[in-house]
Amino acid sequence: MEKLVACVQKKPNALCRLICFLWAGGGTPQLAHWGRLFNDSIEVFCIRLPGRETRLGEPFPKDMTSLVNEITSVLLKELKEKPFAFFGHSLGMYTSFAVALHLKEKYGLEPVHLFVSAAHAPNVSYRIINIVKQNHKLATKSHLALKSTPVPDRNNDLLACVGMLRGNFELPPNEDFRRNIALTFREDAKVFKTFSFEKADMNTPFSCDVTCFRGSDYKIYDVQCWQELTNGDVSFYELPGDHFYLLKPSNESFLIKHITTCIENASL
């Protein structure tokens, strides 16, 4: 499990585990430190995908199905052991949703709460930033269906996309580091392109509460679609910032407090 999961502070007596799923190109240090910020009732697992960090020598996942199968097979014992909640940001939200759906359909397991961040609901068209050249400058034109949008081959185009998503975040000048970011982002985006979900063919999949977070500068217009996916309550919070609003200390503090309250109020 140590290969798949980053857990910076083990809490064997925790009442619940929060499983965190990262964005495309993300690394576990960016969320794993939450394990030190939550109280002793919540233990944080951050999912480490192949192709990065201690798994750098492993091939990247080929598709969402194989990724979901790895995560569920490794974590199944822990997920049966005590209640759990999911937090997924951006493309990581779709991974968390696919894992939750698989757990519910195959094992009858369900998170006590789904926390979704900076992502469209999975029962609408899947989106990705489309980068176009206007007046010799890269600009964000629109959100287009990801499945019909080819992943850019050139590293510069990919890095421009990553840079715009991250708002004021500056990419390191080290060329090898930038190349690795571009490679990881590209491979993660390819996995996302294999994700599919058809709500019309099934009953409401979940009964847990869902909380949706987003940055005020990053518009998502279809969050209401989440109400079609659960019989639980759905709530929405807009915090100041861009796509990576959660990296701001003040927003991180709000997330920690709010997630704690939601989990402690769940029927554990």
Side-chain angles (χ1 to χ4, degrees):
M1 192 178 72
E2 290 75 12
K3 182 171 69 171
L4 176 75
V5 172
C7 179
V8 299
Q9 186 167 337
K10 297 185 183 299
K11 301 176 183 178
N13 296 322
L15 299 177
C16 182
R17 290 190 177 98
L18 178 67
I19 317 296
C20 296
F21 298 79
L22 288 154
W23 49 89
T28 58
Q30 293 163 309
L31 286 189
H33 74 280
W34 280 10
R36 297 189 180 97
L37 304 181
F38 281 98
N39 62 34
D40 290 340
S41 67
I42 300 172
E43 183 179 44
V44 175
F45 282 5
C46 193
I47 300 299
R48 180 187 293 113
L49 301 185
R52 70 212 74 199
E53 300 172 39
T54 57
R55 307 187 68 181
L56 191 60
E58 298 180 40
F60 288 97
K62 293 182 178 180
D63 52 48
M64 185 65 79
T65 299
S66 61
L67 181 57
V68 167
N69 287 337
E70 179 193 7
I71 293 171
T72 54
S73 63
V74 172
L75 288 184
L76 188 58
K77 178 179 177 293
E78 282 70 24
L79 298 179
K80 288 181 176 179
E81 183 180 69
K82 65 177 62 178
F84 61 93
F86 282 173
F87 177 91
H89 180 81
S90 192
L91 299 193
M93 188 286 295
Y94 299 97
T95 306
S96 71
F97 182 85
V99 171
L101 198 61
H102 182 69
L103 288 169
K104 184 66 177 290
E105 292 176 340
K106 188 169 182 179
Y107 302 103
L109 296 172
E110 183 177 2
V112 297
H113 205 112
L114 279 174
F115 300 99
V116 301
S117 176
H120 297 271
N123 50 331
V124 296
S125 299
Y126 317 119
R127 327 258 193 210
I128 194 172
I129 296 294
N130 181 37
I131 306 299
V132 295
K133 288 184 177 180
Q134 294 178 345
N135 299 324
H136 304 291
K137 294 181 179 180
L138 289 170
T140 303
K141 182 180 181 182
S142 62
H143 287 81
L144 299 178
L146 177 59
K147 287 191 174 183
S148 62
T149 305
V151 179
D153 289 326
R154 295 197 313 162
N155 285 352
N156 286 342
D157 292 341
L158 274 169
L159 289 170
C161 181
V162 174
M164 276 206 257
L165 284 174
R166 296 191 176 197
N168 294 325
F169 179 86
E170 292 186 7
L171 292 167
N174 182 281
E175 186 61 30
D176 288 339
F177 191 85
R178 291 167 66 90
R179 190 182 299 111
N180 287 335
I181 289 178
L183 173 62
T184 306
F185 184 89
R186 179 188 293 113
E187 296 300 324
D188 287 351
K190 287 180 180 178
V191 170
F192 179 50
K193 287 169 71 69
T194 68
F195 170 79
S196 63
F197 173 72
E198 296 295 336
K199 170 65 176 66
D201 298 333
M202 64 187 307
N203 297 323
T204 303
F206 301 112
S207 59
C208 63
D209 292 348
V210 176
T211 301
C212 307
F213 303 105
R214 71 176 175 91
S216 56
D217 298 337
Y218 186 73
K219 301 302 180 184
I220 298 176
Y221 301 103
D222 48 31
V223 287
Q224 298 295 330
C225 291
W226 279 104
Q227 294 177 338
E228 301 176 3
L229 300 178
T230 183
N231 293 318
D233 294 332
V234 180
S235 54
F236 308 94
Y237 292 89
E238 181 179 281
L239 301 175
D242 51 37
H243 185 70
F244 282 88
Y245 72 92
L246 77 172
L247 299 181
K248 290 186 175 183
S250 58
N251 290 338
E252 181 181 67
S253 178
F254 175 88
L255 290 172
I256 299 299
K257 292 178 182 178
H258 188 78
I259 291 172
T260 298
T261 300
C262 289
I263 290 178
E264 291 182 343
N265 289 340
S267 299
L268 302 181

